[in-house]
Structures are given as C-alpha cells and as structure tokens.
Amino acid sequence: MSSSTSSNIKVVVRPSVERGHAEHPGFLKTFHTWSFASYQDPKFMQFESLRVLNEDRVTPNEGFGTHPHKEFEIFSYIVSGQLQHRDSMGNVEVMKRGDIQSTSAGTGIAHSEMTHGNREVHFLQIWAKPSQRGLTPTYYTRHFTDAEKRDTLLRVVAPVGSAGVNVQREASGPTPVNSPVTVWATILSRGKGVTHRVPKPSAKVYVHVIQTSGYNTGPATGATIEVNGTQLREGDGAFVYAINAGDELVINNVGAKDAEFLVFDVE
C-alpha cells in the first residue's frame, strides 16, 4: 500500500492487485477487500463497522445457494446483469443495474442469490456490523438511476434514523442500514470532480472504484480518479483519515472514461 497526506487528509491506497482473489471456474470470479472465505490477512479484517466488500461476477445459471446469516447488515449493489434474491422471509426479487438490496439479518435469516437470465451478473456484496444485536430481520430495496448519480455524490445507504431514511420495504431515498455506515455513489464524467466533506472529527472514509471496464486480475487499469491528489484506478480502494469535521475529499476524474465509485463514511 502507498499513502499520501494532503492538508488534514491522509489517503492510504489499497491496490486492486493486492485484494484477495478467487476464481471458481464456471461459477464465480471474486475479489475481497477484507478477509473472507479462503483469503485471510490479519491486516485486513475490517474497517470500523465495514466488514466485507466483495466484487463478484457470477456466471449464468449459477449463484450462492440457500445459506444462513445472522447479526450482519448485508447489501448488494448491482453493477450489471441481473441477480435473483430469495429468502426465508418470503422475499423473491430480481435486481438489475441501479438496484440496492439490503437485508438486516438480525436474529437470523437464510437466503440465496442466483444469476437471473443468460448474462453474467456483476455486483458488490457489502457487509456491515449492526449497531445492536438481536434485531428483527428486515428487507429493503431501492433503485437509483445513472442520471441521479451523474457527477454528484448520491447518498444511497444511510443509518436508520438519519434524515431522509424511510424504513418501508420499498421507498425513495437511501437504503436503510442498522449500522453507522453511509454510502455515496457517483458516476463521474471525464474532467469532472466532486467534493465530500467528512461529517465528524477524526473521520474515516473508504473509497472503492468499481471495475466497470471488465474483469482484471492484474494492476489496475481503466477509469482513473484522484482523491486529494492520490491516483486510483478500477478495483483500487483507499482508506482516508481526516482530522476535523468538514475536512474535504476532493475527487477528480483524470482519466479518459466515466468512473463509477463508492464513498463510505464509517464508524
């Protein structure tokens, strides 16, 4: 990992090529930002309440069969293709690009996630530790268009109780999560920039650039952004440490194509 410090912001890069990686022929190609399954690294177990950030590609007619979860907030960000969700709460749904599906596993659920249709599904699987244990399992879905995310940071996930968060199963506004995690999404055009002000002193932020140009196990290529002057490309991430509330992350697209990325405020 490399790091840089600009004013009150420290940026530490998590290169794509250093992520955990696994290929299961005819089934799954995946990257793990933090320790998961066979990839275990004590230096990368979690980042505050953020425990899992997997970038998955699942082949047609395959997926994750029914399996249990408890005491995690689990959400899926669909990049391309379609993903069918089915769970023990009776939810059956096919998700497509722009959808976020969230399960608050609480005291326990079982679910499956399978590719729907004849096209590979590419999605981010994200887990966060809940703010309290023993919650009743709940399920939410939200949809955000590319136009809504274009050249702005759109709040797509936010803690229950935050301004604008509706706890109905389907509604407008951010996806509810029972964890101190807020997620912002953008599709940043070439030559454009966005600014993110951290919400509190000693804030921690994670930035992840999605591999929209295709599966790549080598050094990161494709869309290129700079976070306070530190360059990231597709698949790269960055740990960001701020000092004061209101310190700014200035993120610019310095590459030749659109960059789709997520910004996580975490506690």
Side-chain angles (χ1 to χ4, degrees), residues 15-27:
S16 178
V17 74
E18 294 182 7
R19 291 185 292 175
H21 169 247
E23 288 191 25
H24 303 276
F27 166 38

Side-chain angles (χ1 to χ4, degrees), residues 50-83:
L50 199 55
R51 175 61 187 86
V52 170
L53 174 52
N54 292 346
E55 188 160 0
D56 291 341
R57 288 174 171 83
V58 183
T59 57
N61 303 311
E62 292 291 343
F64 304 98
T66 302
H67 57 282
H69 288 285
K70 64 187 302 184
E71 305 301 353
F72 271 109
E73 303 291 296
I74 302 168
F75 43 105
S76 299
Y77 179 100
I78 311 302
V79 180
S80 63
Q82 297 184 90
L83 184 71

Side-chain angles (χ1 to χ4, degrees), residues 19 34 49 51 57 62 82 98 117-118 122 147 163 167 175 185 192-193 199 203 206 216 223 232 237 241-242 249:
R19 291 185 292 175
W34 290 286
S49 54
R51 175 61 187 86
R57 288 174 171 83
E62 292 291 343
Q82 297 184 90
N118 59 5
H122 175 199
V167 294
T175 314
K192 297 290 187 178
Y206 192 78
N216 173 28
L232 304 177
Y241 303 88
L249 278 69

Side-chain angles (χ1 to χ4, degrees), residues 3-15:
S3 65
S4 65
T5 302
S6 174
S7 184
N8 293 327
I9 299 286
K10 181 180 180 181
V11 180
V12 181
V13 177
R14 173 72 156 131

